[in-house]
Amino acid sequence: MQVQVKDIKGNNVKSIDLPDSIYNVELNDHVLHHVVKAYLANQRQGTHATKTRAYVSGGGKKPYKQKGTGGARAGSTRAHNRPGGAVAHGPQPRDYRLKINKKVKDLAIRVALSDKARHGKLVVVSDFAGVNAYSTKAVLGALKALNAPKALLSDVREDDFLYRSARNIHGAEAKSPLDFNAMDLLRYETLVISEKALEALNARVSEEA
């Protein structure tokens, strides 16, 4: 598979070959669902809690005698069926994390990248050299020229000009090719990535990695 390399003004520079093992993978809804579900579950803190009878204050004395009242037996005023009582079967702190193997994570990224490439939503640029200062305007201009208003930007660079410049743009974000996951690729309509970042991404998610 071939893709055009552009500059950040939208002009074609050259074409490069993309490895089929990464950019021509069959759509796999199950893998994407599995990874996204785990990603969302791993964001949950799991700190929710309700008080059981052991934690509600009061209720040490039996409210009334066992027999002769005509009412049901009661041992505590803090039972869940009484005013001021505890919560029965309420949520307690728990760990929601789901484990995903690295091979499955990488496969999900390859599936998402292949879908982007098939639908023309993978934009490769020669570099982001034009973004050499903190400038939201420069990044907006590049996105407009590349026809990618809602995009995930990726580059390999030592400075943080690109990342901080994109931070104030609604629908756009910049991340290193070593940091983003399948969820990020699905969240944004287009992936705009530099050639060097593309090489790093390919090395990261290749089947031999």
Side-chain angles (χ1 to χ4, degrees), residues 30-165:
H30 174 71
V31 168
L32 291 177
H33 171 76
H34 191 46
V35 171
V36 170
K37 179 182 176 182
Y39 177 83
L40 294 175
N42 293 348
Q43 306 308 303
R44 300 184 68 174
Q45 290 184 323
T47 54
H48 43 48
T50 53
K51 288 186 176 181
T52 64
R53 287 177 59 166
Y55 295 101
V56 178
S57 61
K61 180 183 177 182
K62 187 174 174 64
Y64 48 82
K65 64 180 184 178
Q66 181 82 346
K67 295 178 178 295
T69 64
R73 296 172 292 182
S76 172
T77 57
R78 292 300 178 257
H80 70 274
N81 59 340
R82 291 182 175 271
V87 175
H89 310 299
Q92 293 298 314
R94 56 165 290 190
D95 185 0
Y96 284 95
R97 285 179 296 181
L98 299 174
K99 183 180 182 299
I100 302 293
N101 293 332
K102 182 181 183 298
K103 286 187 176 182
V104 178
K105 292 179 183 178
D106 291 346
L107 175 59
I109 293 177
R110 292 197 297 271
V111 170
L113 286 172
S114 298
D115 189 64
K116 287 272 190 288
R118 275 192 292 268
H119 292 88
K121 297 300 181 181
L122 173 65
V123 179
V124 182
V125 295
S126 53
D127 55 55
F128 287 96
V131 184
N132 52 14
Y134 299 122
S135 174
T136 301
K137 182 178 180 180
V139 177
L140 278 172
L143 292 176
K144 184 177 181 180
L146 296 169
N147 193 26
K150 295 184 178 181
L152 175 64
L153 306 168
S154 187
D155 193 16
V156 180
R157 53 196 302 162
E158 296 180 358
D159 60 68
D160 61 349
F161 293 144
L162 178 64
Y163 308 109
R164 296 185 66 177
S165 298

